[in-house]
Amino acid sequence: MSFLFRDEDTTNLVGASLLGGSFELPRLVAKERELEHNIALMMKYCAVHGASIAPHAKTTMAPSIIRRQLAAGAWGVTVATMQQLRVCLDIGAERIILANQLVNPTAAEWLGQALLSRPNVEVYCLVDSASGAARLSHGLRTSGTARRLPVLVEVGVTGGRAGCRSLAQTSAVAHVIAEHKELTLVGVEGFEGILGGGRTSDELARVDEFLELLVDCAISLESEGMFGDHPEILLSAGGSMYFDRVAETFTSPELQRRHRTVLRSGCYVTHDHGNYSGTTPLSGLDDALDPALELWSEIVSVPEHGSAIANFGKRDTSFDAGLPVPLAKLRVASAELESCDYVRVSKLNDQHAYLDTSAGPDLAIGERLICGILHPCTAFDKWRQVLLVDEEYSVQEIIDTSF
């Protein structure tokens, strides 16, 4: 039996079973059935609610997963950085929203040059200031492109992150955009996710108020003739917690021309075992999102009764939204998964996990521990490769990431 190292000799991994003992652990594992289910469910949701989706690529930064989302009918993809944008260009995405301010003229010049050879690709950027518009325009002008870059005015909240804070500021920025022949205003954008971490009535009221501000901004800008002759206006918001509020609020704004609601949810593709399970609109339904990520590790020490140490830590898993949740254990000799709902992860070091087993029998050295994770965005970025497995835990594909 050959030993399969992490990130090495990947051709030998396909077809192998995680239930055997030949893998170096820890490993991040994605379950194919759940992954495909989540992609299809979100597309169904969008179709029913009249919305489009440009899933946020930062969640996985995995070209093979992004391709699956596009193949399922995603309108485009969303990115947060120029590096992420480059990756999505390279895999053939034809619509990309850079959900950030592009204020580096050199980066803007690169973008303009990249689009020269991609006439069918549309990249949308955000603008919230006169200075930002000027710097973006300067870079595009230097690139030699004759195309006008479509931009959206970003709207934010006081004390929040980027974005105009009022209708008046939004209007002022839109008029500045109109002065730059390299830019063309096509819509309004915001991110409601920073307004709450749950779904209490107060949190939902704050979210709804902000989304209504975005609609008011779009109506006001249209009345000023700021969208030119574009056939449709883009209204974009929607993280992984409140996309239902976005779809509802953006359904029928009082706009004179056609508009498109573009959600930018990312975490739905793998879901999780706690952070989003109670907050996503697609939770607790007959047809709900399913957690698709698992972290496999092994027990390396049982230093005293009621405790154990597993060989994963902060370098292997997300921990910003909560510690991993033990789901099952595996005795390699039996190749059968057993419940271990009494086990709790109490602390993480760089590459050690402290386990509290006081509510049940001690774990055994060499046993496998399977955990669910919280917050996929900060789990994928720990891994260059993720194993895609079927329902029998046979490896179907090696998912490469591009962080």
Side-chain angles (χ1 to χ4, degrees):
M1 177 185 295
S2 61
F3 185 70
L4 302 178
F5 283 94
R6 176 169 164 172
D7 301 343
E8 182 180 75
D9 199 15
T10 57
T11 56
N12 290 338
L13 295 173
V14 177
S17 174
L18 272 177
L19 302 180
S22 59
F23 287 84
E24 181 190 7
L25 297 177
R27 294 269 186 179
L28 186 64
V29 173
K31 302 167 79 172
E32 186 172 33
R33 187 201 68 79
E34 287 80 355
L35 188 78
E36 290 292 347
H37 166 78
N38 293 343
I39 292 173
L41 182 59
M42 181 56 88
M43 292 310 306
K44 178 181 177 182
Y45 180 91
C46 288
V48 169
H49 292 85
S52 300
I53 187 166
H56 213 312
K58 73 177 175 64
T59 298
T60 68
M61 280 313 297
S64 68
I65 293 179
I66 298 168
R67 288 191 185 101
R68 287 173 184 250
Q69 293 171 298
L70 289 169
W75 176 84
V77 295
T78 301
V79 298
T81 68
M82 289 297 291
Q83 184 269 346
Q84 294 172 9
L85 188 150
R86 178 183 57 80
V87 170
C88 290
L89 282 177
D90 288 346
I91 67 173
E94 294 188 350
R95 294 191 192 94
I96 304 172
I97 297 176
L98 175 58
N100 217 330
Q101 316 296 321
L102 178 53
V103 300
N104 184 323
T106 303
E109 180 181 358
W110 178 91
L111 177 59
Q113 292 172 343
L115 293 176
L116 283 172
S117 60
R118 297 174 171 88
N120 296 324
V121 173
E122 290 280 7
V123 173
Y124 301 80
C125 291
L126 309 185
V127 176
D128 71 352
S129 68
S131 178
R135 294 173 68 87
L136 177 57
S137 296
H138 174 69
L140 293 168
R141 187 162 55 251
T142 305
S143 75
T145 181
R147 296 173 59 182
R148 301 179 72 189
L149 187 76
V151 299
L152 295 87
V153 173
E154 181 163 25
V155 180
V157 295
T158 301
R161 57 191 200 194
C164 299
R165 299 319 201 216
S166 65
L167 277 171
Q169 187 180 357
T170 301
S171 176
V173 170
H175 279 84
V176 170
I177 291 171
E179 296 172 0
H180 293 280
K181 63 182 180 62
E182 296 81 14
L183 307 178
T184 180
L185 184 64
V186 299
V188 176
E189 182 275 349
F191 177 60
E192 77 295 339
I194 62 172
L195 295 172
R199 297 183 69 85
T200 66
S201 58
D202 286 345
E203 287 170 315
L204 293 179
R206 287 197 297 271
V207 168
D208 291 346
E209 182 181 9
F210 174 65
L211 296 174
E212 288 163 3
L213 172 61
L214 266 65
V215 172
D216 290 344
C217 288
I219 293 172
S220 177
L221 292 177
E222 184 186 41
S223 69
E224 295 182 64
M226 303 312 299
F227 296 120
D229 58 358
H230 294 288
E232 66 177 12
I233 297 170
L234 297 188
L235 291 177
S236 181
S240 297
M241 290 187 185
Y242 304 115
F243 56 81
D244 60 326
R245 315 303 288 193
V246 176
E248 180 178 341
T249 305
F250 288 2
T251 296
S252 55
E254 297 175 5
L255 293 166
Q256 300 303 307
R257 72 187 76 185
R258 185 174 75 244
H259 80 283
R260 181 182 297 273
T261 298
V262 181
L263 308 178
R264 304 194 310 276
S265 314
C267 293
Y268 77 91
V269 71
T270 61
H271 200 38
D272 71 0
H273 285 86
N275 188 36
Y276 291 106
S277 61
T279 57
T280 175
L282 294 176
S283 179
L285 307 175
D286 291 338
D287 196 8
L289 295 173
D290 292 331
L293 287 184
E294 293 179 351
L295 182 69
W296 283 56
S297 64
E298 58 190 346
I299 306 303
V300 295
S301 179
V302 184
E304 57 245 350
H305 174 63
S307 69
I309 302 295
N311 68 335
F312 72 88
K314 295 178 181 179
R315 300 198 175 206
D316 309 298
T317 185
S318 54
F319 55 90
D320 57 315
L323 298 176
V325 180
L327 303 174
K329 63 181 180 179
L330 170 70
R331 298 181 187 275
V332 175
S334 66
E336 293 182 1
L337 296 173
E338 303 174 14
S339 173
C340 65
D341 55 7
Y342 63 93
V343 179
R344 182 177 64 88
V345 178
S346 60
K347 186 172 69 170
L348 297 178
N349 290 156
D350 280 1
Q351 296 186 288
H352 291 83
Y354 296 70
L355 307 177
D356 181 346
T357 63
S358 58
D362 283 338
L363 297 174
I365 291 175
E367 280 187 321
R368 307 289 177 87
L369 181 69
I370 297 93
C371 290
I373 60 93
L374 284 69
H375 199 189
C377 294
T378 51
F380 272 95
D381 68 335
K382 309 292 192 300
W383 294 86
R384 289 170 54 198
Q385 296 176 334
V386 178
L387 304 184
L388 186 70
V389 300
D390 63 14
E391 295 181 62
E392 304 300 323
Y393 287 100
S394 176
V395 178
Q396 303 299 299
E397 179 186 329
I398 309 300
I399 298 174
D400 295 314
T401 63
S402 299
F403 287 97

